Amino acid sequence: ASTCMYFGRNLTPAQWGGMVRAASSHTGPWPKVSVWHGTADTTVVPANLTELVEQWTNVHGTDAVPDVTDTVAGYPHAVYRDATGNPVVETYLITGMGHGQPVDPGTGSTQCGATAAYILDVNICAAYHMLRFWGIA
């Protein structure tokens, strides 16, 4: 695990997707995946974001080229859609954030959390955005 965290592991999308399919007898539908990563994370290298995108877009039968790119709360955000146009993978790259969970303390409708070890105030609530992406907020 440490080798993958610190150095990453570069496999093809088909190899990554094959690992998911081999690990389970599940035939789908597969879950939507929301990947969050800090650019200053020294515990898990940012290259793992790319590998996760390759893995889960392959599992969902789509390519690893984002269909939508924008910014949310000032951070780069990408969405990958399946053949029917449904978003199945998304990424957030949190500029300057180290290793931890992004929160935005406060009482607004899009805010959440309180800072602690590995709970980082970067003015975006990951939990809120993931719940919306998964369709349960």
Side-chain angles (χ1 to χ4, degrees):
S2 295
T3 299
C4 289
M5 286 178 9
Y6 298 128
F7 304 107
R9 186 168 178 204
N10 188 12
L11 298 177
T12 68
Q15 289 172 309
W16 282 124
M19 288 182 188
V20 171
R21 289 182 287 274
S24 172
S25 60
H26 181 69
T27 58
W30 294 97
K32 291 180 165 188
V33 176
S34 184
V35 183
W36 293 69
H37 208 288
T39 61
D41 190 335
T42 58
T43 303
V44 178
V45 294
N48 282 312
L49 177 141
T50 302
E51 298 303 306
L52 284 167
V53 167
E54 290 179 354
Q55 181 173 47
W56 285 98
T57 53
N58 179 270
V59 167
H60 282 284
T62 190
D63 61 33
V65 176
D67 296 295
V68 176
T69 58
D70 58 7
T71 59
V72 176
Y75 298 113
H77 171 243
V79 178
Y80 304 79
R81 298 182 184 278
D82 65 13
T84 63
N86 291 317
V88 291
V89 176
E90 72 171 352
T91 62
Y92 285 84
L93 193 58
I94 309 302
T95 312
M97 187 182 82
H99 187 71
Q101 175 73 15
V103 296
D104 184 12
T107 58
S109 63
T110 66
Q111 292 179 295
C112 70
T115 59
Y118 304 106
I119 309 296
L120 308 175
D121 180 359
V122 292
N123 299 315
I124 188 170
C125 174
Y128 168 80
H129 290 282
M130 285 186 276
L131 289 171
R132 287 193 66 215
F133 182 66
W134 294 330
I136 56 177

